Amino acid sequence: MASSESETRGADRQERGVDIHESHESSADLRTSLAARESEVAGLKEQLDIRFREIAVLTRELEKQGAALDRMRQEAELQRLQLEKVVTSTTWRMTGPLRRLIDLLRSRRG
């Protein structure tokens, strides 16, 4: 029986050795996989930072364009008011028949 016990203990030790060896290999694989994932995460963070900077640039440009649009709207409103003053002026109303006559003469020529 001693021999059988000894053989069993030897087999147990051998199995533990294999288990430990496999565990070390598995651990090494996990470390490699983790390093790859960490590298991937770092790359994604860098891309995200780039996108945030692009968004900031585009936001500033949008704000500039919005301000320019506001200025153009104000200018258009000022011009509309000036045109309204001209069209409602006494001079414009008095020269209306003359302008119509000129338009009529031009249309007969052309």
Side-chain angles (χ1 to χ4, degrees):
M1 225 2 150
S3 165
S4 174
E5 254 180 62
S6 175
E7 288 174 9
T8 303
R9 278 192 224 137
D12 286 345
R13 284 188 198 130
Q14 186 177 6
E15 284 179 20
R16 278 183 273 165
V18 169
D19 287 346
I20 290 171
H21 179 70
E22 288 175 357
S23 177
H24 284 294
E25 285 180 355
S26 176
S27 178
D29 289 344
L30 289 173
R31 280 193 295 274
T32 301
S33 179
L34 178 61
R37 295 295 178 255
E38 287 174 342
S39 176
E40 184 179 350
V41 167
L44 291 172
K45 283 182 179 180
E46 185 176 328
Q47 288 180 9
L48 187 59
D49 287 343
I50 291 168
R51 296 298 179 252
F52 279 136
R53 286 192 297 273
E54 289 173 352
I55 288 170
V57 167
L58 292 172
T59 299
R60 285 192 298 275
E61 183 61 28
L62 182 60
E63 289 169 353
K64 287 179 188 177
Q65 294 297 324
L69 180 60
D70 288 342
R71 286 190 302 276
M72 287 182 209
R73 284 180 176 153
Q74 289 173 354
E75 181 63 28
E77 180 62 15
L78 286 173
Q79 289 178 0
R80 187 193 66 76
L81 291 172
Q82 288 175 346
L83 179 61
E84 186 178 319
K85 283 182 182 179
V86 169
V87 172
T88 58
S89 71
T90 303
T91 304
W92 184 263
R93 287 188 308 234
M94 289 176 65
T95 58
L98 181 59
R99 286 191 310 277
R100 285 191 291 279
L101 177 61
I102 291 171
D103 288 343
L104 179 64
L105 293 174
R106 285 182 183 161
S107 68
R108 288 186 178 175
R109 275 192 200 168

mmCIF file of all heavy atoms in Angstrom, residues 26-77:
data_model
loop_
_atom_site.group_PDB
_atom_site.id
_atom_site.type_symbol
_atom_site.label_atom_id
_atom_site.label_comp_id
_atom_site.label_asym_id
_atom_site.label_seq_id
_atom_site.Cartn_x
_atom_site.Cartn_y
_atom_site.Cartn_z
ATOM 1 N N SER A 26 -1.873 30.914 -18.302
ATOM 2 C CA SER A 26 -3.142 31.627 -18.364
ATOM 3 C C SER A 26 -2.966 33.054 -17.845
ATOM 4 O O SER A 26 -3.485 34.010 -18.413
ATOM 5 C CB SER A 26 -4.196 30.888 -17.548
ATOM 6 O OG SER A 26 -5.400 31.605 -17.533
ATOM 7 N N SER A 27 -2.215 33.200 -16.779
ATOM 8 C CA SER A 27 -1.956 34.516 -16.203
ATOM 9 C C SER A 27 -1.179 35.392 -17.195
ATOM 10 O O SER A 27 -1.476 36.571 -17.359
ATOM 11 C CB SER A 27 -1.171 34.364 -14.896
ATOM 12 O OG SER A 27 -0.877 35.609 -14.343
ATOM 13 N N ALA A 28 -0.222 34.809 -17.865
ATOM 14 C CA ALA A 28 0.562 35.545 -18.863
ATOM 15 C C ALA A 28 -0.342 35.964 -20.027
ATOM 16 O O ALA A 28 -0.237 37.093 -20.515
ATOM 17 C CB ALA A 28 1.725 34.695 -19.368
ATOM 18 N N ASP A 29 -1.226 35.072 -20.446
ATOM 19 C CA ASP A 29 -2.163 35.400 -21.517
ATOM 20 C C ASP A 29 -3.080 36.547 -21.094
ATOM 21 O O ASP A 29 -3.355 37.461 -21.882
ATOM 22 C CB ASP A 29 -3.019 34.178 -21.889
ATOM 23 C CG ASP A 29 -2.221 33.100 -22.613
ATOM 24 O OD1 ASP A 29 -1.107 33.404 -23.093
ATOM 25 O OD2 ASP A 29 -2.724 31.960 -22.692
ATOM 26 N N LEU A 30 -3.532 36.495 -19.844
ATOM 27 C CA LEU A 30 -4.400 37.556 -19.345
ATOM 28 C C LEU A 30 -3.659 38.889 -19.280
ATOM 29 O O LEU A 30 -4.219 39.938 -19.619
ATOM 30 C CB LEU A 30 -4.953 37.193 -17.963
ATOM 31 C CG LEU A 30 -5.998 36.078 -17.942
ATOM 32 C CD1 LEU A 30 -6.341 35.709 -16.507
ATOM 33 C CD2 LEU A 30 -7.244 36.494 -18.698
ATOM 34 N N ARG A 31 -2.404 38.859 -18.856
ATOM 35 C CA ARG A 31 -1.614 40.093 -18.806
ATOM 36 C C ARG A 31 -1.421 40.661 -20.216
ATOM 37 O O ARG A 31 -1.529 41.863 -20.430
ATOM 38 C CB ARG A 31 -0.261 39.834 -18.136
ATOM 39 C CG ARG A 31 -0.344 39.789 -16.611
ATOM 40 C CD ARG A 31 1.035 39.854 -15.981
ATOM 41 N NE ARG A 31 1.865 38.698 -16.296
ATOM 42 C CZ ARG A 31 1.880 37.549 -15.629
ATOM 43 N NH1 ARG A 31 1.096 37.399 -14.574
ATOM 44 N NH2 ARG A 31 2.673 36.567 -15.989
ATOM 45 N N THR A 32 -1.158 39.793 -21.161
ATOM 46 C CA THR A 32 -0.991 40.231 -22.551
ATOM 47 C C THR A 32 -2.289 40.829 -23.073
ATOM 48 O O THR A 32 -2.289 41.895 -23.697
ATOM 49 C CB THR A 32 -0.555 39.052 -23.439
ATOM 50 O OG1 THR A 32 0.667 38.520 -22.936
ATOM 51 C CG2 THR A 32 -0.385 39.468 -24.881
ATOM 52 N N SER A 33 -3.392 40.151 -22.796
ATOM 53 C CA SER A 33 -4.697 40.633 -23.231
ATOM 54 C C SER A 33 -5.026 41.968 -22.561
ATOM 55 O O SER A 33 -5.527 42.894 -23.205
ATOM 56 C CB SER A 33 -5.768 39.597 -22.896
ATOM 57 O OG SER A 33 -7.036 40.050 -23.284
ATOM 58 N N LEU A 34 -4.718 42.074 -21.273
ATOM 59 C CA LEU A 34 -4.967 43.314 -20.544
ATOM 60 C C LEU A 34 -4.135 44.454 -21.124
ATOM 61 O O LEU A 34 -4.636 45.564 -21.315
ATOM 62 C CB LEU A 34 -4.651 43.134 -19.052
ATOM 63 C CG LEU A 34 -4.826 44.355 -18.167
ATOM 64 C CD1 LEU A 34 -6.270 44.834 -18.195
ATOM 65 C CD2 LEU A 34 -4.391 44.046 -16.736
ATOM 66 N N ALA A 35 -2.890 44.192 -21.421
ATOM 67 C CA ALA A 35 -2.015 45.214 -21.999
ATOM 68 C C ALA A 35 -2.561 45.670 -23.351
ATOM 69 O O ALA A 35 -2.563 46.876 -23.659
ATOM 70 C CB ALA A 35 -0.594 44.682 -22.149
ATOM 71 N N ALA A 36 -3.061 44.724 -24.141
ATOM 72 C CA ALA A 36 -3.636 45.075 -25.447
ATOM 73 C C ALA A 36 -4.877 45.943 -25.264
ATOM 74 O O ALA A 36 -5.058 46.937 -25.971
ATOM 75 C CB ALA A 36 -3.978 43.807 -26.231
ATOM 76 N N ARG A 37 -5.708 45.584 -24.310
ATOM 77 C CA ARG A 37 -6.936 46.351 -24.043
ATOM 78 C C ARG A 37 -6.591 47.748 -23.526
ATOM 79 O O ARG A 37 -7.218 48.731 -23.901
ATOM 80 C CB ARG A 37 -7.841 45.639 -23.041
ATOM 81 C CG ARG A 37 -8.400 44.323 -23.525
ATOM 82 C CD ARG A 37 -9.340 44.533 -24.719
ATOM 83 N NE ARG A 37 -9.833 43.277 -25.210
ATOM 84 C CZ ARG A 37 -9.423 42.689 -26.314
ATOM 85 N NH1 ARG A 37 -8.484 43.245 -27.040
ATOM 86 N NH2 ARG A 37 -9.931 41.545 -26.716
ATOM 87 N N GLU A 38 -5.596 47.832 -22.657
ATOM 88 C CA GLU A 38 -5.183 49.135 -22.130
ATOM 89 C C GLU A 38 -4.653 50.013 -23.252
ATOM 90 O O GLU A 38 -4.927 51.213 -23.301
ATOM 91 C CB GLU A 38 -4.132 48.966 -21.030
ATOM 92 C CG GLU A 38 -4.708 48.441 -19.730
ATOM 93 C CD GLU A 38 -3.654 48.132 -18.678
ATOM 94 O OE1 GLU A 38 -2.463 47.987 -19.029
ATOM 95 O OE2 GLU A 38 -4.040 48.023 -17.493
ATOM 96 N N SER A 39 -3.922 49.426 -24.166
ATOM 97 C CA SER A 39 -3.417 50.167 -25.320
ATOM 98 C C SER A 39 -4.578 50.636 -26.188
ATOM 99 O O SER A 39 -4.593 51.777 -26.668
ATOM 100 C CB SER A 39 -2.463 49.279 -26.121
ATOM 101 O OG SER A 39 -2.048 49.944 -27.278
ATOM 102 N N GLU A 40 -5.549 49.771 -26.379
ATOM 103 C CA GLU A 40 -6.730 50.114 -27.165
ATOM 104 C C GLU A 40 -7.503 51.256 -26.497
ATOM 105 O O GLU A 40 -7.915 52.216 -27.155
ATOM 106 C CB GLU A 40 -7.631 48.886 -27.320
ATOM 107 C CG GLU A 40 -8.846 49.104 -28.189
ATOM 108 C CD GLU A 40 -9.700 47.850 -28.322
ATOM 109 O OE1 GLU A 40 -9.277 46.763 -27.907
ATOM 110 O OE2 GLU A 40 -10.806 47.995 -28.858
ATOM 111 N N VAL A 41 -7.665 51.176 -25.184
ATOM 112 C CA VAL A 41 -8.358 52.223 -24.433
ATOM 113 C C VAL A 41 -7.601 53.547 -24.559
ATOM 114 O O VAL A 41 -8.199 54.603 -24.772
ATOM 115 C CB VAL A 41 -8.537 51.821 -22.949
ATOM 116 C CG1 VAL A 41 -8.952 53.009 -22.105
ATOM 117 C CG2 VAL A 41 -9.558 50.698 -22.816
ATOM 118 N N ALA A 42 -6.284 53.504 -24.460
ATOM 119 C CA ALA A 42 -5.478 54.722 -24.591
ATOM 120 C C ALA A 42 -5.674 55.338 -25.977
ATOM 121 O O ALA A 42 -5.830 56.554 -26.107
ATOM 122 C CB ALA A 42 -4.004 54.416 -24.340
ATOM 123 N N GLY A 43 -5.698 54.503 -26.999
ATOM 124 C CA GLY A 43 -5.929 54.994 -28.361
ATOM 125 C C GLY A 43 -7.310 55.613 -28.512
ATOM 126 O O GLY A 43 -7.464 56.665 -29.134
ATOM 127 N N LEU A 44 -8.305 54.978 -27.918
ATOM 128 C CA LEU A 44 -9.669 55.508 -27.987
ATOM 129 C C LEU A 44 -9.782 56.828 -27.223
ATOM 130 O O LEU A 44 -10.471 57.755 -27.673
ATOM 131 C CB LEU A 44 -10.663 54.481 -27.442
ATOM 132 C CG LEU A 44 -10.848 53.240 -28.320
ATOM 133 C CD1 LEU A 44 -11.690 52.198 -27.589
ATOM 134 C CD2 LEU A 44 -11.461 53.589 -29.659
ATOM 135 N N LYS A 45 -9.094 56.922 -26.094
ATOM 136 C CA LYS A 45 -9.105 58.181 -25.340
ATOM 137 C C LYS A 45 -8.464 59.293 -26.159
ATOM 138 O O LYS A 45 -8.946 60.427 -26.162
ATOM 139 C CB LYS A 45 -8.360 58.023 -24.008
ATOM 140 C CG LYS A 45 -9.156 57.296 -22.951
ATOM 141 C CD LYS A 45 -8.383 57.215 -21.640
ATOM 142 C CE LYS A 45 -9.197 56.505 -20.576
ATOM 143 N NZ LYS A 45 -8.459 56.408 -19.305
ATOM 144 N N GLU A 46 -7.398 58.977 -26.857
ATOM 145 C CA GLU A 46 -6.734 59.970 -27.697
ATOM 146 C C GLU A 46 -7.666 60.430 -28.818
ATOM 147 O O GLU A 46 -7.778 61.624 -29.097
ATOM 148 C CB GLU A 46 -5.450 59.390 -28.289
ATOM 149 C CG GLU A 46 -4.641 60.394 -29.071
ATOM 150 C CD GLU A 46 -3.319 59.811 -29.568
ATOM 151 O OE1 GLU A 46 -2.740 58.952 -28.888
ATOM 152 O OE2 GLU A 46 -2.906 60.235 -30.656
ATOM 153 N N GLN A 47 -8.363 59.477 -29.447
ATOM 154 C CA GLN A 47 -9.323 59.827 -30.496
ATOM 155 C C GLN A 47 -10.451 60.686 -29.936
ATOM 156 O O GLN A 47 -10.899 61.641 -30.577
ATOM 157 C CB GLN A 47 -9.898 58.567 -31.143
ATOM 158 C CG GLN A 47 -8.921 57.832 -32.022
ATOM 159 C CD GLN A 47 -9.538 56.585 -32.635
ATOM 160 O OE1 GLN A 47 -10.742 56.350 -32.543
ATOM 161 N NE2 GLN A 47 -8.718 55.773 -33.270
ATOM 162 N N LEU A 48 -10.893 60.353 -28.731
ATOM 163 C CA LEU A 48 -11.955 61.120 -28.093
ATOM 164 C C LEU A 48 -11.491 62.550 -27.812
ATOM 165 O O LEU A 48 -12.233 63.504 -28.061
ATOM 166 C CB LEU A 48 -12.375 60.431 -26.789
ATOM 167 C CG LEU A 48 -13.577 60.990 -26.058
ATOM 168 C CD1 LEU A 48 -14.815 60.959 -26.950
ATOM 169 C CD2 LEU A 48 -13.822 60.206 -24.781
ATOM 170 N N ASP A 49 -10.267 62.710 -27.336
ATOM 171 C CA ASP A 49 -9.715 64.041 -27.105
ATOM 172 C C ASP A 49 -9.660 64.840 -28.400
ATOM 173 O O ASP A 49 -9.993 66.029 -28.423
ATOM 174 C CB ASP A 49 -8.305 63.948 -26.496
ATOM 175 C CG ASP A 49 -8.321 63.515 -25.040
ATOM 176 O OD1 ASP A 49 -9.389 63.594 -24.408
ATOM 177 O OD2 ASP A 49 -7.254 63.098 -24.550
ATOM 178 N N ILE A 50 -9.256 64.191 -29.482
ATOM 179 C CA ILE A 50 -9.212 64.851 -30.788
ATOM 180 C C ILE A 50 -10.608 65.313 -31.183
ATOM 181 O O ILE A 50 -10.802 66.446 -31.635
ATOM 182 C CB ILE A 50 -8.610 63.919 -31.861
ATOM 183 C CG1 ILE A 50 -7.115 63.706 -31.590
ATOM 184 C CG2 ILE A 50 -8.847 64.461 -33.265
ATOM 185 C CD1 ILE A 50 -6.481 62.594 -32.408
ATOM 186 N N ARG A 51 -11.591 64.451 -31.010
ATOM 187 C CA ARG A 51 -12.977 64.790 -31.373
ATOM 188 C C ARG A 51 -13.480 65.956 -30.524
ATOM 189 O O ARG A 51 -14.171 66.850 -31.024
ATOM 190 C CB ARG A 51 -13.917 63.588 -31.209
ATOM 191 C CG ARG A 51 -13.609 62.429 -32.138
ATOM 192 C CD ARG A 51 -13.749 62.824 -33.607
ATOM 193 N NE ARG A 51 -13.418 61.716 -34.464
ATOM 194 C CZ ARG A 51 -12.308 61.648 -35.189
ATOM 195 N NH1 ARG A 51 -11.451 62.633 -35.174
ATOM 196 N NH2 ARG A 51 -12.060 60.607 -35.944
ATOM 197 N N PHE A 52 -13.146 65.966 -29.227
ATOM 198 C CA PHE A 52 -13.567 67.072 -28.364
ATOM 199 C C PHE A 52 -12.942 68.389 -28.823
ATOM 200 O O PHE A 52 -13.597 69.432 -28.834
ATOM 201 C CB PHE A 52 -13.209 66.810 -26.903
ATOM 202 C CG PHE A 52 -14.191 65.917 -26.186
ATOM 203 C CD1 PHE A 52 -13.729 64.908 -25.366
ATOM 204 C CD2 PHE A 52 -15.556 66.086 -26.320
ATOM 205 C CE1 PHE A 52 -14.619 64.081 -24.693
ATOM 206 C CE2 PHE A 52 -16.461 65.270 -25.660
ATOM 207 C CZ PHE A 52 -15.989 64.263 -24.845
ATOM 208 N N ARG A 53 -11.683 68.338 -29.230
ATOM 209 C CA ARG A 53 -11.033 69.555 -29.737
ATOM 210 C C ARG A 53 -11.705 70.012 -31.032
ATOM 211 O O ARG A 53 -11.915 71.207 -31.246
ATOM 212 C CB ARG A 53 -9.538 69.329 -29.931
ATOM 213 C CG ARG A 53 -8.776 69.279 -28.607
ATOM 214 C CD ARG A 53 -7.272 69.342 -28.812
ATOM 215 N NE ARG A 53 -6.715 68.231 -29.557
ATOM 216 C CZ ARG A 53 -6.312 67.076 -29.039
ATOM 217 N NH1 ARG A 53 -6.391 66.866 -27.740
ATOM 218 N NH2 ARG A 53 -5.811 66.120 -29.808
ATOM 219 N N GLU A 54 -12.035 69.059 -31.906
ATOM 220 C CA GLU A 54 -12.733 69.406 -33.148
ATOM 221 C C GLU A 54 -14.089 70.029 -32.849
ATOM 222 O O GLU A 54 -14.479 71.010 -33.495
ATOM 223 C CB GLU A 54 -12.913 68.163 -34.024
ATOM 224 C CG GLU A 54 -11.634 67.652 -34.646
ATOM 225 C CD GLU A 54 -11.817 66.318 -35.369
ATOM 226 O OE1 GLU A 54 -12.907 65.695 -35.266
ATOM 227 O OE2 GLU A 54 -10.881 65.897 -36.051
ATOM 228 N N ILE A 55 -14.799 69.473 -31.887
ATOM 229 C CA ILE A 55 -16.106 70.016 -31.503
ATOM 230 C C ILE A 55 -15.942 71.440 -30.984
ATOM 231 O O ILE A 55 -16.740 72.326 -31.318
ATOM 232 C CB ILE A 55 -16.794 69.115 -30.461
ATOM 233 C CG1 ILE A 55 -17.263 67.814 -31.125
ATOM 234 C CG2 ILE A 55 -17.968 69.829 -29.799
ATOM 235 C CD1 ILE A 55 -17.741 66.750 -30.157
ATOM 236 N N ALA A 56 -14.905 71.679 -30.189
ATOM 237 C CA ALA A 56 -14.665 73.025 -29.662
ATOM 238 C C ALA A 56 -14.401 74.013 -30.796
ATOM 239 O O ALA A 56 -14.940 75.129 -30.802
ATOM 240 C CB ALA A 56 -13.496 73.003 -28.681
ATOM 241 N N VAL A 57 -13.597 73.600 -31.767
ATOM 242 C CA VAL A 57 -13.298 74.475 -32.911
ATOM 243 C C VAL A 57 -14.579 74.758 -33.694
ATOM 244 O O VAL A 57 -14.867 75.910 -34.057
ATOM 245 C CB VAL A 57 -12.225 73.833 -33.833
ATOM 246 C CG1 VAL A 57 -12.130 74.557 -35.164
ATOM 247 C CG2 VAL A 57 -10.878 73.810 -33.128
ATOM 248 N N LEU A 58 -15.354 73.719 -33.954
ATOM 249 C CA LEU A 58 -16.596 73.889 -34.712
ATOM 250 C C LEU A 58 -17.613 74.736 -33.947
ATOM 251 O O LEU A 58 -18.351 75.531 -34.544
ATOM 252 C CB LEU A 58 -17.187 72.522 -35.068
ATOM 253 C CG LEU A 58 -16.377 71.709 -36.076
ATOM 254 C CD1 LEU A 58 -16.949 70.303 -36.202
ATOM 255 C CD2 LEU A 58 -16.313 72.393 -37.424
ATOM 256 N N THR A 59 -17.644 74.586 -32.635
ATOM 257 C CA THR A 59 -18.557 75.386 -31.816
ATOM 258 C C THR A 59 -18.189 76.863 -31.905
ATOM 259 O O THR A 59 -19.063 77.721 -32.067
ATOM 260 C CB THR A 59 -18.520 74.906 -30.352
ATOM 261 O OG1 THR A 59 -18.947 73.542 -30.301
ATOM 262 C CG2 THR A 59 -19.431 75.739 -29.471
ATOM 263 N N ARG A 60 -16.886 77.160 -31.818
ATOM 264 C CA ARG A 60 -16.447 78.554 -31.944
ATOM 265 C C ARG A 60 -16.796 79.108 -33.327
ATOM 266 O O ARG A 60 -17.259 80.251 -33.455
ATOM 267 C CB ARG A 60 -14.949 78.672 -31.686
ATOM 268 C CG ARG A 60 -14.586 78.566 -30.207
ATOM 269 C CD ARG A 60 -13.141 78.964 -29.940
ATOM 270 N NE ARG A 60 -12.166 78.109 -30.604
ATOM 271 C CZ ARG A 60 -11.702 76.967 -30.128
ATOM 272 N NH1 ARG A 60 -12.114 76.515 -28.960
ATOM 273 N NH2 ARG A 60 -10.801 76.268 -30.800
ATOM 274 N N GLU A 61 -16.599 78.306 -34.359
ATOM 275 C CA GLU A 61 -16.924 78.739 -35.719
ATOM 276 C C GLU A 61 -18.430 78.972 -35.859
ATOM 277 O O GLU A 61 -18.855 79.951 -36.482
ATOM 278 C CB GLU A 61 -16.459 77.699 -36.750
ATOM 279 C CG GLU A 61 -16.689 78.082 -38.173
ATOM 280 C CD GLU A 61 -15.969 79.336 -38.614
ATOM 281 O OE1 GLU A 61 -14.894 79.662 -38.051
ATOM 282 O OE2 GLU A 61 -16.475 80.018 -39.527
ATOM 283 N N LEU A 62 -19.226 78.105 -35.268
ATOM 284 C CA LEU A 62 -20.679 78.265 -35.311
ATOM 285 C C LEU A 62 -21.098 79.554 -34.605
ATOM 286 O O LEU A 62 -21.981 80.278 -35.091
ATOM 287 C CB LEU A 62 -21.355 77.052 -34.663
ATOM 288 C CG LEU A 62 -22.876 77.028 -34.659
ATOM 289 C CD1 LEU A 62 -23.421 77.064 -36.086
ATOM 290 C CD2 LEU A 62 -23.379 75.792 -33.929
ATOM 291 N N GLU A 63 -20.462 79.848 -33.479
ATOM 292 C CA GLU A 63 -20.762 81.083 -32.757
ATOM 293 C C GLU A 63 -20.397 82.300 -33.607
ATOM 294 O O GLU A 63 -21.152 83.280 -33.658
ATOM 295 C CB GLU A 63 -20.018 81.116 -31.426
ATOM 296 C CG GLU A 63 -20.571 80.130 -30.412
ATOM 297 C CD GLU A 63 -19.695 79.952 -29.182
ATOM 298 O OE1 GLU A 63 -18.562 80.496 -29.152
ATOM 299 O OE2 GLU A 63 -20.147 79.271 -28.246
ATOM 300 N N LYS A 64 -19.255 82.245 -34.296
ATOM 301 C CA LYS A 64 -18.857 83.350 -35.185
ATOM 302 C C LYS A 64 -19.876 83.528 -36.305
ATOM 303 O O LYS A 64 -20.268 84.650 -36.634
ATOM 304 C CB LYS A 64 -17.476 83.087 -35.791
ATOM 305 C CG LYS A 64 -16.326 83.241 -34.834
ATOM 306 C CD LYS A 64 -15.013 82.933 -35.567
ATOM 307 C CE LYS A 64 -13.839 82.877 -34.628
ATOM 308 N NZ LYS A 64 -12.601 82.500 -35.335
ATOM 309 N N GLN A 65 -20.277 82.402 -36.907
ATOM 310 C CA GLN A 65 -21.240 82.468 -38.007
ATOM 311 C C GLN A 65 -22.586 83.002 -37.516
ATOM 312 O O GLN A 65 -23.261 83.759 -38.215
ATOM 313 C CB GLN A 65 -21.420 81.087 -38.651
ATOM 314 C CG GLN A 65 -20.178 80.563 -39.353
ATOM 315 C CD GLN A 65 -19.765 81.427 -40.516
ATOM 316 O OE1 GLN A 65 -20.601 81.975 -41.224
ATOM 317 N NE2 GLN A 65 -18.464 81.573 -40.722
ATOM 318 N N GLY A 66 -22.979 82.588 -36.312
ATOM 319 C CA GLY A 66 -24.230 83.083 -35.735
ATOM 320 C C GLY A 66 -24.175 84.582 -35.506
ATOM 321 O O GLY A 66 -25.145 85.304 -35.793
ATOM 322 N N ALA A 67 -23.034 85.078 -35.007
ATOM 323 C CA ALA A 67 -22.867 86.517 -34.787
ATOM 324 C C ALA A 67 -22.897 87.259 -36.128
ATOM 325 O O ALA A 67 -23.520 88.325 -36.247
ATOM 326 C CB ALA A 67 -21.556 86.790 -34.051
ATOM 327 N N ALA A 68 -22.251 86.689 -37.147
ATOM 328 C CA ALA A 68 -22.264 87.317 -38.474
ATOM 329 C C ALA A 68 -23.686 87.353 -39.031
ATOM 330 O O ALA A 68 -24.106 88.360 -39.623
ATOM 331 C CB ALA A 68 -21.330 86.559 -39.424
ATOM 332 N N LEU A 69 -24.426 86.279 -38.827
ATOM 333 C CA LEU A 69 -25.815 86.230 -39.297
ATOM 334 C C LEU A 69 -26.655 87.283 -38.584
ATOM 335 O O LEU A 69 -27.473 87.971 -39.216
ATOM 336 C CB LEU A 69 -26.393 84.825 -39.072
ATOM 337 C CG LEU A 69 -27.832 84.599 -39.502
ATOM 338 C CD1 LEU A 69 -28.000 84.866 -40.993
ATOM 339 C CD2 LEU A 69 -28.264 83.185 -39.150
ATOM 340 N N ASP A 70 -26.448 87.444 -37.288
ATOM 341 C CA ASP A 70 -27.177 88.471 -36.537
ATOM 342 C C ASP A 70 -26.869 89.866 -37.083
ATOM 343 O O ASP A 70 -27.777 90.692 -37.250
ATOM 344 C CB ASP A 70 -26.822 88.412 -35.045
ATOM 345 C CG ASP A 70 -27.417 87.196 -34.349
ATOM 346 O OD1 ASP A 70 -28.364 86.586 -34.901
ATOM 347 O OD2 ASP A 70 -26.944 86.864 -33.239
ATOM 348 N N ARG A 71 -25.579 90.116 -37.383
ATOM 349 C CA ARG A 71 -25.204 91.418 -37.949
ATOM 350 C C ARG A 71 -25.879 91.642 -39.310
ATOM 351 O O ARG A 71 -26.368 92.736 -39.606
ATOM 352 C CB ARG A 71 -23.686 91.529 -38.085
ATOM 353 C CG ARG A 71 -22.976 91.743 -36.759
ATOM 354 C CD ARG A 71 -21.502 92.104 -36.956
ATOM 355 N NE ARG A 71 -20.740 91.105 -37.699
ATOM 356 C CZ ARG A 71 -20.193 90.019 -37.181
ATOM 357 N NH1 ARG A 71 -20.322 89.756 -35.891
ATOM 358 N NH2 ARG A 71 -19.508 89.185 -37.935
ATOM 359 N N MET A 72 -25.911 90.596 -40.133
ATOM 360 C CA MET A 72 -26.544 90.715 -41.453
ATOM 361 C C MET A 72 -28.045 90.962 -41.323
ATOM 362 O O MET A 72 -28.620 91.754 -42.093
ATOM 363 C CB MET A 72 -26.291 89.447 -42.269
ATOM 364 C CG MET A 72 -24.888 89.320 -42.776
ATOM 365 S SD MET A 72 -24.758 87.806 -43.761
ATOM 366 C CE MET A 72 -23.052 87.408 -43.505
ATOM 367 N N ARG A 73 -28.671 90.320 -40.369
ATOM 368 C CA ARG A 73 -30.113 90.533 -40.157
ATOM 369 C C ARG A 73 -30.378 91.976 -39.721
ATOM 370 O O ARG A 73 -31.345 92.597 -40.173
ATOM 371 C CB ARG A 73 -30.643 89.555 -39.118
ATOM 372 C CG ARG A 73 -30.825 88.156 -39.650
ATOM 373 C CD ARG A 73 -31.360 87.220 -38.594
ATOM 374 N NE ARG A 73 -31.606 85.900 -39.155
ATOM 375 C CZ ARG A 73 -31.574 84.790 -38.462
ATOM 376 N NH1 ARG A 73 -31.306 84.808 -37.159
ATOM 377 N NH2 ARG A 73 -31.811 83.632 -39.049
ATOM 378 N N GLN A 74 -29.511 92.483 -38.836
ATOM 379 C CA GLN A 74 -29.673 93.871 -38.401
ATOM 380 C C GLN A 74 -29.495 94.827 -39.576
ATOM 381 O O GLN A 74 -30.261 95.792 -39.729
ATOM 382 C CB GLN A 74 -28.661 94.199 -37.294
ATOM 383 C CG GLN A 74 -28.968 93.531 -35.975
ATOM 384 C CD GLN A 74 -27.858 93.744 -34.944
ATOM 385 O OE1 GLN A 74 -26.810 94.306 -35.248
ATOM 386 N NE2 GLN A 74 -28.099 93.290 -33.727
ATOM 387 N N GLU A 75 -28.489 94.567 -40.400
ATOM 388 C CA GLU A 75 -28.247 95.406 -41.578
ATOM 389 C C GLU A 75 -29.431 95.334 -42.539
ATOM 390 O O GLU A 75 -29.867 96.363 -43.080
ATOM 391 C CB GLU A 75 -26.963 94.967 -42.294
ATOM 392 C CG GLU A 75 -26.610 95.770 -43.510
ATOM 393 C CD GLU A 75 -26.323 97.235 -43.236
ATOM 394 O OE1 GLU A 75 -25.876 97.577 -42.127
ATOM 395 O OE2 GLU A 75 -26.556 98.054 -44.149
ATOM 396 N N ALA A 76 -29.965 94.139 -42.747
ATOM 397 C CA ALA A 76 -31.124 93.993 -43.637
ATOM 398 C C ALA A 76 -32.325 94.758 -43.084
ATOM 399 O O ALA A 76 -33.066 95.410 -43.848
ATOM 400 C CB ALA A 76 -31.472 92.515 -43.816
ATOM 401 N N GLU A 77 -32.514 94.714 -41.785
ATOM 402 C CA GLU A 77 -33.625 95.445 -41.168
ATOM 403 C C GLU A 77 -33.431 96.950 -41.339
ATOM 404 O O GLU A 77 -34.385 97.677 -41.657
ATOM 405 C CB GLU A 77 -33.759 95.073 -39.691
ATOM 406 C CG GLU A 77 -34.870 95.779 -38.955
ATOM 407 C CD GLU A 77 -36.276 95.494 -39.491
ATOM 408 O OE1 GLU A 77 -36.462 94.524 -40.259
ATOM 409 O OE2 GLU A 77 -37.195 96.261 -39.138
#
